[in-house]
């Protein structure tokens, strides 16, 4: 294991701009293990993959609430201290300090900042385990846009901020086609976002895609530096999304 001298990480957007045209860039992403043995194994793997792949940055997903959130922070801080450029995911889900969800987020950001982390992925987050729908905590953030605005207001330019993008549509914006609706009912752009699963047909319709892009632009206008997309399987869909981002 190698360690650094505690110098704050560079912002990822600056690293990307410096390396434009210099070939393919790689990054890593990890999530908090459930056991102590898993943590030890992950630490060893992170060290090996850092040395073997020389990633531009390393994402650590956020475990919402309690000890899992603490572990996400510990792993991100360790990543920073061992030579990774840490990119900490932070969500609005199930966060509270003495009943104050905003204070909990502020404390997490302050801990990251004090520990040398300078890159945050601002996310709304998924519903807590066992719940189907996401609901905002009373007095808390309602969406990732709120979090981006808060970070810029409270921390200025201290952090590089990434936000989520959805080339095929956010899961909440994907519609199951009704009986009688088929490919012929879809526009050409909708057909590129069409999928089948368990015999059912799904699509992000054009009007919903527009809403998603409008919201994404709001996040960028509020201060996001970079967009990280969900996994996609069709490169042409991704290329269309990138072109739309540049035109929107």
């Amino acid at each position: 294991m190698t360690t650094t001298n505690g110098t704050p990480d560079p912002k990822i957007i600056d690293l990307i701009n410096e390396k434009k045209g210099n070939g393919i860039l790689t990054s890593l992403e990890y999530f908090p293990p459930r056991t102590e043995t898993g943590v030890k194994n992950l630490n060893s793997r992170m060290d090996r993959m850092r040395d073997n792949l020389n990633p531009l940055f390393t994402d650590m997903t956020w475990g919402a609430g309690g000890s899992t959130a603490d572990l996400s922070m510990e792993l991100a801080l360790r990543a920073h201290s061992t030579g990774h450029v840490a990119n900490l995911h932070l969500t609005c889900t199930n966060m509270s300090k003495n009943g104050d969800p905003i204070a909990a987020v502020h404390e997490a950001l302050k801990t990251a900042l004090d520990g040398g982390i300078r890159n945050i992925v601002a996310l709304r987050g998924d519903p807590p385990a066992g719940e189907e729908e996401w609901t905002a905590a009373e007095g808390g953030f309602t969406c990732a846009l709120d979090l981006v605005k808060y970070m810029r207001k409270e921390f200025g330019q201290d952090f590089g901020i990434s936000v989520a993008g959805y080339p095929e549509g956010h899961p909440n914006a994907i519609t199951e086609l009704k009986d009688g609706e088929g490919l012929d009912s879809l526009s050409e752009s909708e057909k590129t976002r069409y999928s089948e699963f368990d015999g059912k047909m799904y699509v992000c319709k054009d009007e919903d895609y527009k809403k998603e892009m409008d919201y994404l632009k709001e996040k960028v206008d509020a201060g996001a530096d970079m967009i990280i997309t969900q996994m996609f399987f069709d490169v042409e869909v991704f290329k269309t999304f990138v072109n739309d981002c540049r035109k929107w």
Side-chain angles (χ1 to χ4, degrees), residues 2 5 22 25-26 75 81-82 104 107-108 120 124 161 180 188 190 198 202 207 209 234 244 248:
T2 60
N5 60 9
N22 291 336
L25 307 176
T26 59
L75 290 168
S81 70
T82 55
E107 183 177 80
I120 300 289
R124 186 198 70 176
I161 303 176
E188 290 304 310
E190 287 172 340
D198 282 349
Y202 300 90
E207 59 267 29
Y209 181 76
D234 188 333
D244 288 343
W248 220 264

Side-chain angles (χ1 to χ4, degrees), residues 9-26:
D9 282 333
K11 292 182 181 178
I12 295 167
I13 188 62
D14 294 335
L15 294 177
I16 291 174
N17 287 332
E18 289 171 7
K19 295 180 181 293
K20 277 183 178 177
N22 291 336
I24 296 173
L25 307 176
T26 59

Side-chain angles (χ1 to χ4, degrees), residues 38-53:
V39 171
K40 291 178 181 177
N41 290 337
L42 176 61
N43 287 337
S44 296
R45 180 170 290 111
M46 289 174 67
D47 291 341
R48 293 195 304 272
M49 294 184 75
R50 176 205 61 216
D51 294 340
N52 293 334
L53 297 176

Side-chain angles (χ1 to χ4, degrees), residues 32 37 47 60 65 69 78 90-91 114 117 125 132 139 161 183 187 191 211 243:
T37 300
D47 291 341
M60 185 60 66
R78 182 190 183 277
L90 184 63
T91 75
D114 291 345
I117 293 173
E132 292 186 4
I161 303 176
L183 280 175
S187 69
K191 289 176 182 177
K211 291 176 184 176
N243 289 332

Side-chain angles (χ1 to χ4, degrees), residues 92 123-124 134 136 140-148 215:
C92 311
L123 302 164
R124 186 198 70 176
W134 188 91
F141 301 113
T142 61
C143 58
L145 176 61
D146 290 346
L147 182 52
V148 174
Y215 177 61

Side-chain angles (χ1 to χ4, degrees), residues 11-244:
K11 292 182 181 178
I12 295 167
I13 188 62
D14 294 335
L15 294 177
I16 291 174
N17 287 332
E18 289 171 7
K19 295 180 181 293
K20 277 183 178 177
N22 291 336
I24 296 173
L25 307 176
T26 59
S27 64
L28 305 173
E29 180 171 310
Y30 302 101
F31 61 89
R34 297 179 181 273
T35 65
E36 290 185 14
T37 300
V39 171
K40 291 178 181 177
N41 290 337
L42 176 61
N43 287 337
S44 296
R45 180 170 290 111
M46 289 174 67
D47 291 341
R48 293 195 304 272
M49 294 184 75
R50 176 205 61 216
D51 294 340
N52 293 334
L53 297 176
N54 189 29
L56 189 70
F57 62 93
T58 297
D59 286 273
M60 185 60 66
T61 65
W62 185 255
S67 60
T68 312
D70 292 340
L71 180 56
S72 294
M73 182 66 73
E74 290 171 12
L75 290 168
L77 290 170
R78 182 190 183 277
H80 162 72
S81 70
T82 55
H84 295 261
V85 174
N87 196 28
L88 176 63
H89 294 211
L90 184 63
T91 75
C92 311
T93 300
N94 199 22
M95 293 278 287
S96 181
K97 180 183 180 183
N98 300 323
D100 186 344
I102 292 181
V105 170
H106 188 96
E107 183 177 80
L109 289 166
K110 187 68 167 57
T111 299
L113 188 71
D114 291 345
I117 293 173
R118 293 296 182 269
N119 297 282
I120 300 289
V121 185
L123 302 164
R124 186 198 70 176
D126 297 322
E131 299 182 21
E132 292 186 4
E133 295 187 4
W134 188 91
T135 54
E138 184 175 353
F141 301 113
T142 61
C143 58
L145 176 61
D146 290 346
L147 182 52
V148 174
K149 289 179 177 178
Y150 181 83
M151 289 176 64
R152 287 298 182 226
K153 177 176 179 288
E154 296 295 323
F155 293 89
Q157 297 298 317
D158 286 341
F159 290 107
I161 303 176
S162 299
V163 292
Y166 301 89
E168 296 172 334
H170 188 282
N172 292 349
I174 293 176
T175 303
E176 180 183 348
L177 295 182
K178 301 175 183 177
D179 290 340
E181 289 184 312
L183 280 175
D184 291 343
S185 69
L186 303 181
S187 69
E188 290 304 310
S189 58
E190 287 172 340
K191 289 176 182 177
T192 67
R193 300 188 297 273
Y194 161 86
S195 62
E196 292 187 26
F197 183 72
D198 282 349
K200 297 180 180 179
M201 299 181 290
Y202 300 90
V203 68
C204 179
K205 294 191 173 180
D206 287 337
E207 59 267 29
D208 293 321
Y209 181 76
K210 180 182 182 303
K211 291 176 184 176
E212 288 296 313
M213 294 301 295
D214 287 343
Y215 177 61
L216 180 58
K217 187 174 188 305
E218 284 190 80
K219 290 190 287 186
V220 172
D221 289 345
D225 300 296
M226 188 171 75
I227 300 165
I228 297 179
T229 75
Q230 72 182 97
M231 182 181 290
F232 57 88
F233 297 97
D234 188 333
V235 174
E236 293 304 316
V237 172
F238 173 70
K239 288 164 65 176
T240 297
F241 173 79
V242 171
N243 289 332
D244 288 343

